[in-house]
């Protein structure tokens, strides 16, 4: 299997040293990862079936192509309605998930931008965990109760087979972009508390 990746590393949501561990884990599974490789074409044979994908530099033969190219908010309806959108194209709401400046319009989930509590900037992070909480907040507020979604800190957990991966907060690049001073440290520890079964280094 070959993964063509436009970014410089698999899982660009991680710092490069952590991304390298993911790359190595994929190597270990026999998955070839080509970084900085932007797919520009999917090529078909005379029978109409896929035969390869291509970057500007090379062709990669393929029997099956799986595309995973990211998520953008589809807010054209909101745009046409004149609702406020942020720099990622997501709807802007207040903390109660009411669309800013519109008394009776609410929005949550993949179509909204959320406040990053570490950087103080609005971001678009399409996660079910946000959508779920925002839906509950909207339900409460529409029903006359009071609830807020104050923001997020960018936590995500994933796996590449046996390799457990988690992140939270900002990458070094993001901290630099918002002018935060930081130090970095690498520690080795177990993947879960010792009293849980199966902790691993
Ligand atoms: C492969 C995959 C894995 C994921 N894994 C995770 C995970 O592990 N953890 C996590 O937190 N998140 C995960 N997510 C993200 C999560 O699924 C989304 O963030 C979440 O579903 C967003 O919820 P939503 O309600 O905003 O949108 P959706 O769940 O997409 O719901 C939108 C609904 O609106 C309907 N719709 C669209 N247009 C119209 C229209 N014009 N009229 C009527 N209905 C319409 C759609 O049919 C759909 O049912 C994953 C997403 C994918 C694709």
């Amino acid at each position: 299997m070959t993964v063509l990746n436009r970014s410089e590393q698999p899982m660009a949501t991680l710092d490069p040293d952590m991304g390298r561990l993911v790359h190595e884990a994929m190597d270990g599974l026999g998955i070839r990862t080509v970084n900085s490789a932007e797919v520009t074409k999917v090529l078909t044979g005379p029978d109409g079936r896929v035969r390869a994908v291509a970057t500007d530099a090379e062709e990669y033969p393929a029997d099956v192509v799986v595309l995973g190219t990211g998520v953008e908010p589809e807010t054209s309806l909101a745009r046409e309605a004149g609702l406020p959108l942020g720099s990622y194209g997501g709807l802007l709401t207040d903390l109660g998930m009411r669309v800013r400046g519109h008394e009776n319009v609410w929005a949550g989930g993949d179509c909204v931008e959320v406040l990053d509590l570490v950087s103080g900037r609005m971001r678009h992070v399409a996660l079910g965990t946000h959508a779920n909480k925002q839906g509950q907040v909207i339900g409460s507020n529409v029903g006359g109760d009071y609830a807020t979604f104050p923001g997020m800190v960018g936590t995500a957990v994933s796996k590449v087979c046996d390799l457990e991966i988690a992140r939270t907060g900002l990458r070094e690049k993001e901290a630099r972009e918002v002018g935060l001073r930081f130090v970095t440290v690498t520690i080795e520890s177990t993947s879960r508390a010792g009293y849980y079964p199966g902790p691993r280094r």
Side-chain angles (χ1 to χ4, degrees):
M1 184 198 291
T2 302
V3 176
L4 299 178
N5 178 24
R6 187 168 64 175
S7 319
E8 289 166 11
Q9 63 179 66
M11 290 191 72
T13 48
L14 302 172
D15 273 320
D17 53 341
M18 296 294 141
R20 237 177 341 263
L21 298 180
V22 176
H23 195 151
E24 283 165 20
M26 292 168 76
D27 273 350
L29 293 165
I31 301 168
R32 177 182 173 212
T33 309
V34 186
N35 295 319
S36 307
E38 183 173 15
V39 173
T40 49
K41 282 186 200 135
V42 175
L43 305 166
T44 51
D47 56 359
R49 294 174 69 93
V50 66
R51 67 170 178 81
V53 291
T55 64
D56 283 343
E58 208 170 322
E59 274 185 25
Y60 298 84
D63 299 319
V64 175
V65 176
V66 178
L67 285 176
T69 52
V71 182
E72 285 178 7
E74 211 296 72
T75 45
S76 46
L77 182 64
R79 190 182 296 279
E80 281 167 31
L83 300 181
L85 302 178
S87 51
Y88 297 94
L91 276 154
L92 297 176
T93 70
D94 63 17
L95 297 187
M97 305 313 299
R98 191 193 300 263
V99 173
R100 290 184 196 169
H102 294 267
E103 187 65 18
N104 295 315
V105 187
W106 309 77
D110 286 358
C111 65
V112 301
E113 296 190 8
V114 288
L115 178 64
D116 181 328
L117 294 167
V118 188
S119 69
R121 291 187 174 179
M122 297 303 288
R123 283 174 57 193
H124 180 249
V125 180
L127 280 178
T129 181
H130 298 161
N132 189 308
K133 290 177 190 127
Q134 291 163 349
Q136 293 182 42
V137 167
I138 293 171
S140 294
N141 290 332
V142 168
D145 212 339
Y146 174 76
T148 60
F149 182 85
M152 56 98 210
V153 292
T155 304
V157 182
S158 192
K159 281 182 99 177
V160 178
C161 289
D162 282 346
L163 181 72
E164 297 174 357
I165 309 150
R167 57 146 288 153
T168 195
L170 303 180
R171 290 174 295 161
E172 290 180 26
K173 181 171 171 263
E174 291 161 336
R176 228 172 268 121
E177 278 168 9
V178 293
L180 291 177
R181 295 174 59 207
F182 60 90
V183 291
T184 60
V185 62
T186 305
I187 57 167
E188 274 204 27
S189 182
T190 52
S191 56
R192 62 197 74 174
Y195 47 81
Y196 275 94
R200 245 186 264 134
R201 277 194 176 271

